[in-house]
């Protein structure tokens, strides 16, 4: 299942990370983890196709790309320094490695959800009618964040609902068909399947908050600083595949579709609700935009409200986030999450 969207760190991973000193040293072998999601399928393709090996060889390094079926586990292992990079959302990066003290850089801003996540209700009504109703979702996930943003748009809060019921993504489709479930929040491909039900109505989706649910490849800041060729190889391989996708190469897209458990039509449908940054210049523009800091403040406030912005976080400003223009949100003395356009800009300039 497309489970990129849980962000609950394990204490063991964070404890191990805290106990492991950061080491900024030159090296030649790197490991990167990724998990199944429409916007991250290129990592599997660039590994299987040999494109990653080609770019790594250009810079005299090796990059092992490892698929991990458990998304949360992949981030926990990165946080524990078993990997040099991992595919993650902006929220999960802030809450798990950054919140756990691991200085992390967004090397590649790959896409944002633009309809892949949705609030769905049975029958008629609007968002205001959710008051008093129970809502089923994966707690402490992007779905939970989307619900919070949806409720805020009509002046409601979670306490105005009839409760939030934690429901596994694996059970969501079946749950919607039961009489006692009135509303759900989930992500594709589940959204598409649930909306096939004749009484299902979409009230709100991630296209209503464009640019807030962001999918990244993040890497250890110290490792990147000591090994810029790692960043160059990763960006070079990624944007070669982006070029193939942008050109509509059906062999490439079919390989990604099959690897993700769907067919070409299904994968294209998911891409339609994903704002992929095929052009690195577009990724740079987005990352330098004025909206990103506002988004990250919203995310930090949500995480703090749910008690998952790092252990013992005293406020939503606990973790500092820095941006390409040198500004920060959160605590500037505790910057642990950095948006850096250096390598995306090199790709845009043809300098890799």
């Amino acid at each position: 299942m497309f489970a990129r969207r849980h962000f609950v760190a394990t204490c063991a991973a964070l404890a191990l990370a805290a106990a492991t000193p950061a080491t900024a040293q030159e090296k030649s072998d790197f490991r990167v983890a990724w998990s199944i999601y429409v916007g991250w399928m290129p990592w599997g393709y660039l590994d299987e196709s040999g494109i990653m090996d080609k770019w790594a060889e250009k810079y005299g390094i090796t990059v092992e790309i490892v698929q991990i079926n458990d998304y949360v586990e992949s981030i926990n292992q990165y946080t524990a320094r078993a990997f040099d990079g991992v595919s993650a959302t902006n929220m999960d990066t802030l809450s798990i490695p950054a919140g756990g003290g691991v200085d992390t850089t967004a090397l590649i801003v790959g896409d944002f959800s633009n309809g892949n996540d949705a609030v769905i209700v049975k029958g008629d009504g609007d968002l205001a009618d959710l008051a008093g109703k129970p809502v089923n979702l994966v707690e402490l996930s992007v779905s939970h964040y989307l619900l919070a943003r949806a409720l805020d748009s009509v002046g409601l809060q979670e306490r105005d609902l009839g409760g939030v019921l934690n429901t596994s993504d694996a059970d969501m489709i079946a749950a919607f068909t039961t009489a006692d479930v009135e509303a759900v929040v989930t992500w594709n491909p589940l959204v598409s399947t649930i909306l096939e039900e004749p009484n299902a109505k979409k009230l709100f989706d991630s296209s209503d908050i464009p640019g807030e649910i962001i999918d990244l490849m993040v890497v250890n800041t110290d490792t990147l600083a000591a090994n810029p060729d790692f960043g160059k190889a990763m960006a070079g391989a990624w944007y070669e595949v982006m070029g193939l996708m942008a050109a509509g190469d059906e062999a490439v897209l079919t390989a990604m579709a099959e690897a993700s458990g769907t067919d070409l039509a299904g994968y294209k449908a998911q891409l339609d609700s994903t704002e992929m940054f095929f052009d690195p210049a577009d990724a740079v523009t987005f990352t330098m935009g004025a909206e990103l800091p506002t988004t990250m403040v919203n995310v930090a406030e949500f995480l703090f409200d749910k008690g998952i912005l790092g252990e013992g976080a005293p406020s939503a400003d606990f973790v500092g986030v820095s941006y390409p223009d040198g500004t920060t949100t959160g605590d500037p003395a505790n910057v642990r999450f950095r948006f850096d356009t250096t390598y995306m800009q090199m790709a845009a300039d043809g300098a890799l």
Side-chain angles (χ1 to χ4, degrees):
M1 196 56 66
F2 286 56
R4 89 195 195 282
R5 301 164 178 278
H6 308 60
F7 44 90
V8 182
T10 66
C11 294
L14 296 183
L16 179 57
T20 308
T23 55
Q25 60 185 12
E26 291 185 22
K27 59 181 187 174
S28 59
D29 301 319
F30 303 88
R31 301 179 77 229
V32 173
W34 72 283
S35 53
I36 296 287
Y37 172 66
V38 55
W40 292 330
M41 297 315 297
W43 290 111
Y45 181 79
L46 61 84
D47 178 38
E48 295 295 329
S49 66
I51 290 174
M52 185 73 257
D53 288 342
K54 180 185 72 175
W55 280 91
E57 184 177 354
K58 176 177 179 178
Y59 289 102
I61 63 175
T62 66
V63 179
E64 182 183 2
I65 307 291
V66 180
Q67 180 187 337
I68 295 181
N69 292 328
D70 185 325
Y71 170 62
V72 176
E73 181 61 20
S74 72
I75 302 181
N76 286 337
Q77 288 193 32
Y78 162 78
T79 303
R81 307 189 201 280
F83 290 95
D84 300 295
V86 68
S87 58
T89 66
N90 53 320
M91 279 178 284
D92 301 334
T93 300
L94 184 60
S95 66
I96 304 178
V102 177
D103 200 323
T104 296
T105 293
L107 176 72
I108 295 170
V109 178
D111 70 83
F112 64 78
S113 176
N114 198 29
N116 267 323
D117 304 80
V119 180
I120 304 171
V121 68
K122 285 181 181 174
D124 295 325
D126 55 23
L127 285 172
D129 294 323
L130 288 177
K133 290 184 178 181
V135 177
N136 292 65
L137 49 69
V138 177
E139 281 191 297
L140 306 180
S141 73
V142 170
S143 293
H144 211 149
Y145 175 78
L146 183 74
L147 176 64
R149 297 288 285 120
L151 294 174
D152 184 63
S153 73
V154 292
L156 295 177
Q157 296 184 35
E158 188 174 319
R159 65 172 177 264
D160 298 315
L161 302 174
V164 168
L165 305 177
N166 189 31
T167 307
S168 167
D169 55 319
D171 299 328
M172 196 67 70
I173 294 173
F176 190 79
T177 64
T178 62
D180 56 344
V181 172
E182 299 184 60
V184 301
V185 189
T186 189
W187 54 81
N188 263 326
L190 308 179
V191 167
S192 297
T193 301
I194 291 171
L195 288 176
E196 292 174 359
E197 294 289 327
N199 62 340
K201 178 182 179 182
K202 181 171 66 174
L203 299 182
F204 191 90
D205 67 30
S206 52
S207 68
D208 294 307
I209 53 167
E212 294 195 25
I213 300 174
I214 312 167
D215 298 303
L216 312 167
M217 171 53 69
V218 301
V219 299
N220 184 282
T221 298
D222 295 330
T223 298
L224 181 63
N227 301 276
D229 284 348
F230 170 49
K232 294 176 184 177
M234 290 279 284
W238 176 262
Y239 287 111
E240 179 173 336
V241 176
M242 290 300 98
L244 297 172
M245 293 178 71
D249 189 317
E250 292 208 345
V252 173
L253 294 173
T254 297
M256 293 183 195
E258 292 175 350
S260 64
T262 187
D263 58 15
L264 180 59
Y267 188 61
K268 284 184 174 179
Q270 292 171 37
L271 283 172
D272 286 343
S273 53
T274 308
E275 187 64 32
M276 294 293 298
F277 294 121
F278 295 120
D279 186 336
D282 292 338
V284 170
T285 298
F286 174 81
T287 308
M288 296 182 71
E291 297 84 3
L292 182 57
T294 300
T295 292
M296 293 309 300
V297 168
N298 286 336
V299 169
E301 290 175 349
F302 171 80
L303 294 173
F304 178 71
D305 180 63
K306 300 302 177 186
I308 50 177
L309 183 63
E311 186 174 353
S315 74
D317 292 329
F318 174 57
V319 179
V321 182
S322 69
Y323 305 93
D325 64 358
T327 61
T328 62
T329 55
D331 185 355
N334 186 39
V335 173
R336 292 294 181 268
F337 189 3
R338 304 168 194 270
F339 285 93
D340 185 352
T341 57
T342 298
Y343 297 90
M344 295 185 292
Q345 187 64 59
M346 292 178 74
D349 294 340
L352 293 173

